[in-house]
Amino acid sequence: MLAMLSTRPFARRCAGASVLALALLGSGLPAAAADRPQPDLTRFYQQRPAWAACPGPDMPEDLECAEVTVPLDYARPGAGTLELALARYRATGPSHGSVVLNFGGPGGAGVPGLAAEGREFMDLTDGYDVVTFDPRGVGRSSPVSCGEGGVTVPAVPKQDPGAGQPKALLQQLRQVAEECARNSGPVLPHIGTVNASRDLDVIRQALGDKKLNYLGFSYGSRLGAAYAAQFPDRVGRLALDGVDTLTESTAEQGLAGAEGQQQALDDFLDWCTTDVGCPFGQDRRRAGDEVLRLVRSLDQDPVPTESGASFTGQDLVGALAQGLYSKRAWPPLERALASLVEDGDTRRLLGFSPSGVGLPHAGYGTERTGLPRELDRTDRTGAPHDRERTDRADASPARRREDGGLVDIADVPVDNLPAALMAINCADDPDRPDAARLTEELSTLRAAYDHASPVFGRYRLTQLLLCYGRPKGTDFIRERVKDVHTAKMLLVGTRGDPATPYRWTVETARRLGPSAVVLDNKGEGHTGYSSSMCVHHTVNDFLLYGTLPANGSCPADSPAAVGPEDAG
């Protein structure tokens, strides 16, 4: 039964709005499965990875790669297998085992992320092998796709829809779901946090660790919490940065995201309008109106890109959403917007834009930095991100391997990131409102999202509808991820996080129980590990030595070299 959307005023804290109780989170075994005899998984738990040099161009010489085999379906382990891509930096000091990283998304491939951001984690090699993986359906691990070039999802109508508009929109969404199913192969019904968490335990055993030490960012916190609920006696030191909600519906999460992005845009405009180069002028109040006017103008009259495609207002909103993840991205975002406003040039903004389906950009290590591709592909190590590869037109889903083996790097579909994000979120979503209810509530939903953010509301509402036409997902996180009895876990919440509000960290810690300890990062941006030295050192001390923070907070660190003078 769908919860009705409250029509009371919307506060900044995402009040009301659970018309579509679409939980974004879901994981682990279904509730009944834990009480049934489980199939024999012995052969999967007896593996040892064969580490070797990583394939592909420009991979760091000291990064090693391997693979591990997991069942396609844990309920029927004889029905097929999948290979998962692994990568590691070996410990430089006395090793206490491994620490496994998940960069978020969902849909972020760990191997290229670690190749690009490895230097950020080198302190952890004092005591651990630093390991990551491409989750099932992601990267080289049986990547899902919605078809060559991705699938364009129509935006929700701006005005009250006419008689046939909701029906047409829902039909298009159903066609998207069918296209994704046709192009994703046998992994699609078995994707999601449910099985990724079980894969994580197979990886733990393959690495030779009795307990899992883990660092998860954003969606990675969902995966870590699910693991703690499924395997509480195998939890070592878990650090979760940018913590997801375990209870809010997708409708509520979408509103929170729209509000957070609107606040981040407001902060960006506060900064931008102090610079003479700001494309929206120096009048702060007028600048917000100018942004909204630009979005609406491009929706009505898109501008062409170099490739001949159209750049719409919703494409601009997607680029803004990505660019606002981190203050480090503000100067290049300002320059990109100036190129569009002054010259009609979209090239710089396309560096921020997500590709494929109309979903927020995440993964490949960029979810936490928010940097455009041009900056992020050489971030820290000088090794290019696999975004260079994902931009190739010949990366066709037709080359996927049907036997579950790893695909070649060049054969990962262009749209794998957004397709995997959608597939995982929908697999983790237990609610599927029918067409009648969606049609009935669409106008109310649109008003709620527009109230949350006149710029980002329509974009976020489109994302909310993307699970329509897909099978119902699991309710495991809503029902079972709570009151875990594990070793202490460190949960990092950032006060100015536009994607995962600080209150989610507090609420999730309360739900997980006394094992969860909160670190209050009083800074800005999505997650704290890469932007706050205090968070960085606190998390490292916890993972390396088991040391919990003495006062439970980190001051707001000044962002490095970000100011209006840097934007020229």
Side-chain angles (χ1 to χ4, degrees):
M1 187 71 178
L2 289 170
M4 291 298 294
L5 178 64
S6 171
T7 57
R8 65 182 182 271
F10 283 84
R12 270 279 168 213
R13 295 186 60 242
C14 184
S18 77
V19 59
L20 307 176
L22 305 176
L24 186 64
L25 307 176
S27 170
L29 287 169
D35 301 323
R36 297 197 299 261
Q38 296 301 303
D40 184 9
L41 302 174
T42 303
R43 68 187 181 101
F44 299 102
Y45 277 89
Q46 291 179 335
Q47 302 175 75
R48 286 294 180 267
W51 296 100
C54 290
D58 302 313
M59 296 294 278
E61 292 183 0
D62 54 343
L63 185 68
E64 299 178 331
C65 285
E67 61 191 56
V68 66
T69 304
V70 296
L72 175 66
D73 181 353
Y74 276 91
R76 299 185 302 127
T81 62
L82 302 172
E83 306 295 335
L84 305 181
L86 306 179
R88 75 173 179 183
Y89 285 106
R90 299 198 66 172
T92 57
S95 177
H96 304 299
S98 303
V99 57
V100 180
L101 310 182
N102 180 280
F103 292 113
V111 175
L114 187 60
E117 298 198 16
R119 190 173 302 166
E120 184 174 333
F121 304 98
M122 285 300 104
D123 288 348
L124 293 174
T125 61
D126 288 347
Y128 293 112
D129 292 345
V130 176
V131 180
T132 191
F133 67 109
D134 291 358
R136 58 172 62 207
V138 174
R140 297 183 64 209
S141 304
S142 300
V144 296
S145 173
C146 291
E148 190 166 3
V151 175
T152 300
V153 177
V156 176
K158 291 178 289 185
Q159 307 299 327
D160 286 336
Q165 285 183 331
K167 183 178 180 180
L169 174 63
L170 296 180
Q171 179 59 31
Q172 288 172 302
L173 291 168
R174 185 176 292 279
Q175 289 172 355
V176 169
E178 293 171 353
E179 190 73 10
C180 295
R182 279 194 297 270
N183 285 279
S184 291
V187 71
L188 187 62
H190 306 286
I191 203 171
T193 309
V194 172
N195 286 318
S197 178
R198 302 196 71 180
D199 294 342
L200 192 55
D201 196 56
V202 173
I203 291 171
R204 173 201 60 78
Q205 180 69 20
L207 295 172
D209 294 333
K210 292 183 178 179
K211 294 182 182 293
L212 176 71
N213 302 304
Y214 176 83
L215 174 55
F217 298 98
S218 195
Y219 163 77
S221 72
R222 187 198 314 179
L223 180 58
Y227 184 90
Q230 286 185 274
F231 306 102
D233 58 333
R234 301 174 197 172
V235 170
R237 296 169 185 169
L238 263 65
L240 312 178
D241 184 5
V243 180
D244 256 334
T245 177
L246 301 179
T247 56
E248 288 189 1
S249 71
T250 300
E252 292 169 320
Q253 292 182 57
L255 283 169
E259 290 169 346
Q261 288 172 325
Q262 184 65 48
Q263 182 59 58
L265 176 61
D266 291 343
D267 293 342
F268 168 75
L269 292 175
D270 288 343
W271 170 87
C272 182
T273 52
T274 64
D275 176 33
V276 294
C278 183
F280 306 113
Q282 282 68 58
D283 184 329
R284 172 62 186 87
R285 185 174 300 178
R286 185 175 179 180
D289 294 336
E290 290 296 321
V291 172
L292 183 57
R293 187 176 298 112
L294 179 61
V295 170
R296 289 174 175 171
S297 173
L298 288 170
D299 274 334
Q300 183 173 352
D301 187 17
V303 298
T305 66
E306 276 192 326
S307 67
S310 295
F311 188 86
T312 69
Q314 297 311 297
D315 293 326
L316 173 59
V317 173
L320 286 171
Q322 176 64 12
L324 294 171
Y325 265 121
S326 168
K327 285 187 175 181
R328 292 174 57 201
W330 286 6
L333 179 61
E334 182 191 38
R335 292 192 291 270
L337 289 166
S339 293
L340 175 66
V341 171
E342 296 166 8
D343 304 317
D345 186 346
T346 63
R347 287 175 295 178
R348 286 180 169 178
L349 279 170
L350 288 171
F352 287 93
S353 295
S355 61
V357 195
L359 293 167
H361 173 68
Y364 281 93
T366 60
E367 183 187 37
R368 296 182 299 113
T369 66
L371 296 177
R373 298 171 193 172
E374 286 75 7
L375 293 183
D376 202 58
R377 48 169 78 101
T378 57
D379 188 32
R380 297 179 181 85
T381 64
H385 276 281
D386 267 18
R387 290 199 173 283
E388 272 187 53
R389 185 264 310 149
T390 62
D391 288 336
R392 291 176 41 176
D394 64 347
S396 168
R399 292 195 183 98
R400 72 165 183 259
R401 291 185 56 170
E402 300 293 345
D403 61 359
L406 297 183
V407 304
D408 292 338
I409 291 174
D411 291 338
V412 179
V414 174
D415 73 323
N416 175 239
L417 172 62
L421 187 151
M422 180 167 62
I424 294 167
N425 283 342
C426 295
D428 291 357
D429 172 8
D431 298 313
R432 288 295 184 274
D434 60 21
R437 179 58 64 91
L438 285 173
T439 300
E440 176 185 349
E441 300 293 348
L442 190 58
S443 294
T444 308
L445 270 174
R446 188 179 57 251
Y449 273 70
D450 284 345
H451 189 283
S453 170
V455 173
F456 296 98
R458 186 175 172 217
Y459 184 78
R460 298 299 298 231
L461 179 55
T462 299
Q463 297 163 23
L464 177 65
L465 302 177
L466 285 171
C467 291
Y468 180 78
R470 290 179 180 247
K472 178 180 178 180
T474 181
D475 61 0
F476 182 84
I477 282 190
R478 285 189 188 178
E479 301 298 328
R480 300 287 292 272
V481 182
K482 58 183 178 180
D483 302 322
V484 299
H485 300 287
T486 68
K488 293 293 185 182
M489 298 179 289
L490 181 62
L491 278 60
V492 181
T494 298
R495 292 281 179 165
D497 193 321
T500 50
Y502 176 76
R503 63 181 175 83
W504 285 359
T505 302
V506 176
E507 293 166 0
T508 296
R510 187 180 302 120
R511 181 174 173 84
L512 292 177
S515 297
V517 176
V518 171
L519 177 64
D520 179 359
N521 175 30
K522 301 184 185 299
E524 302 289 332
H526 185 37
T527 73
Y529 188 81
S530 62
S531 60
S532 165
M533 291 303 296
C534 173
V535 171
H536 191 92
H537 291 312
T538 301
V539 169
N540 285 355
D541 286 347
F542 171 69
L543 291 171
L544 288 167
Y545 313 115
T547 304
L548 289 167
N551 61 7
S553 68
C554 280
D557 290 351
S558 298
V562 172
E565 68 276 7
D566 299 311

